[in-house]
Amino acid sequence: MDICMEQVIDMVHSVKPFFMDNAMSRDVTVKGLADFVTKADTSVQSRLFSELSKHYPGIQFMGEEDHMQAVDFSRPMWILDPIDGTTNLIYSYCHSAVSLGYYENKAISAAVIYNPFTEETFYAVRGQGAFLNGRRIRVTQKTALKDSLIAIGTSPYDKEMAEDNFHIFKEVFKHSLDIRRSGSAALDLAYVASGRVDGFLERNLKPWDYSAGALLVEEAGGQVTNYSLSPLDYSKNQDILASNREIHRELQKVVMS
Ligand code: 2AM
Ligand code: CA
């Protein structure tokens, strides 16, 4: 299916008022440990699903607030996180984004990540490069982990992983320039793509957390795998390792040490 990126980006931009509506972002339901949904999340999702199905009829949807509804991975689908960084939104941290990917043939072929607080729109089309507000973006050229800035995600809803995770963070911290933790996996991946960090890692991310960001990183010249260096399987949760490609093996060795 041909996707008109301009039109899809316009649809994504149209949900900005939901992010800015304090009543909606303070209308919180607890889904699980450190796992929240607000009225803003559900409103963004229903608006985008209804707009996308009007313009692209017959395409399946997978969205965070539908709890991994039954979808057929042999057919195309939209993969949506209506708000990635919901905890940030609840705290007015101003670092949250819509993350939308178009999946077909076992890969992501188009992606948009939009942060309404900074008015930054990251997007990519497979084979055509990655862009930020219309300008081409590329990953950094750092070749050594010791000179690299690495974003980490703490998997806050999986506290039983804390010992393992914080061991990894300590090793990465010791072997790199420094670490960052933003609270939005989608923006972390967009930041790898745009050269604001050199790498990113987080365990047990769901397809809507990483799908759009993975295409951005690849189209910006970077690499995304799981922690064992295997290619991503978009039908599953994944431990995500993303980088500018140059430092990928070195970062992976530290992660697995
Ligand atoms: P969210 O804000 O859409 O919930 C934070 O470490 C990152 O993990 C965010 O991208 C966050 O997305 C995501 N996240 C939060 N809860 C999660 C869960 N239960 N499973 C997987 N990812 C989750
Ligand atoms: Ca979300």
Side-chain angles (χ1 to χ4, degrees):
M1 152 101 47
D2 279 340
I3 302 296
C4 173
M5 283 310 274
E6 264 180 37
Q7 186 186 45
V8 170
I9 288 170
D10 281 349
M11 285 180 216
V12 169
H13 285 170
S14 78
V15 302
K16 177 173 180 170
F18 297 124
F19 278 71
M20 302 303 162
D21 183 327
N22 283 338
M24 279 194 175
S25 53
R26 278 165 186 62
D27 185 342
V28 181
T29 307
V30 180
K31 288 197 288 184
L33 187 64
D35 197 0
F36 306 110
V37 61
T38 73
K39 186 79 174 55
D41 297 72
T42 49
S43 304
V44 170
Q45 176 155 313
S46 28
R47 163 73 68 87
L48 285 177
F49 276 11
S50 104
E51 285 297 305
L52 287 164
S53 55
K54 231 184 276 166
H55 293 91
Y56 299 95
I59 305 292
Q60 309 175 95
F61 288 109
M62 187 192 346
E64 172 161 22
E65 308 316 337
D66 279 345
H67 303 285
M68 198 74 115
Q69 51 177 271
V71 282
D72 174 358
F73 281 90
S74 67
R75 290 175 37 226
M77 74 184 82
W78 297 103
I79 301 182
L80 174 70
D81 191 344
I83 300 184
D84 188 68
T86 298
T87 304
N88 285 348
L89 187 80
I90 295 167
Y91 276 81
S92 303
Y93 197 83
C94 300
H95 189 81
S96 310
V98 180
S99 177
L100 177 67
Y102 181 68
Y103 166 98
E104 59 182 349
N105 303 324
K106 294 195 163 41
I108 305 298
S109 56
V112 183
I113 294 178
Y114 169 54
N115 178 352
F117 297 103
T118 57
E119 275 302 342
E120 289 182 309
T121 308
F122 301 85
Y123 57 96
V125 176
R126 183 164 293 282
Q128 294 177 29
F131 301 85
L132 164 55
N133 292 350
R135 290 185 172 204
R136 186 85 194 243
I137 49 174
R138 289 179 209 282
V139 294
T140 61
Q141 296 184 331
K142 294 279 168 61
T143 53
L145 185 57
K146 70 175 173 43
D147 303 320
S148 299
L149 187 61
I150 306 297
I152 55 158
T154 51
S155 311
Y157 36 84
D158 289 317
K159 291 264 186 333
E160 72 281 359
M161 289 179 183
E163 295 300 326
D164 284 356
N165 267 336
F166 280 77
H167 166 76
I168 291 172
F169 301 153
K170 186 176 169 188
E171 290 306 306
V172 171
F173 173 69
K174 279 176 11 192
H175 288 87
S176 67
L177 191 63
D178 201 353
I179 55 178
R180 293 286 182 270
R181 194 287 186 268
S182 85
S184 163
L187 286 172
D188 287 333
L189 288 162
Y191 279 25
V192 174
S194 52
R196 294 177 182 177
V197 290
D198 303 291
F200 163 66
L201 55 116
E202 183 161 13
R203 290 192 64 188
N204 201 26
L205 289 176
K206 298 198 169 140
W208 46 80
D209 297 320
Y210 66 76
S211 291
L215 179 65
L216 274 161
V217 172
E218 285 172 3
E219 285 298 320
Q223 186 173 6
V224 188
T225 63
N226 66 17
Y227 282 16
S228 321
L229 294 179
S230 303
L232 302 187
D233 175 348
Y234 292 93
S235 68
K236 298 200 170 98
N237 288 10
Q238 303 275 278
D239 298 337
I240 294 287
L241 186 66
S243 77
N244 69 355
R245 190 174 290 273
E246 296 285 340
I247 61 163
H248 208 81
R249 288 306 295 260
E250 197 186 353
L251 180 58
Q252 191 256 353
K253 274 195 194 133
V254 171
V255 165
M256 299 304 268
S257 67

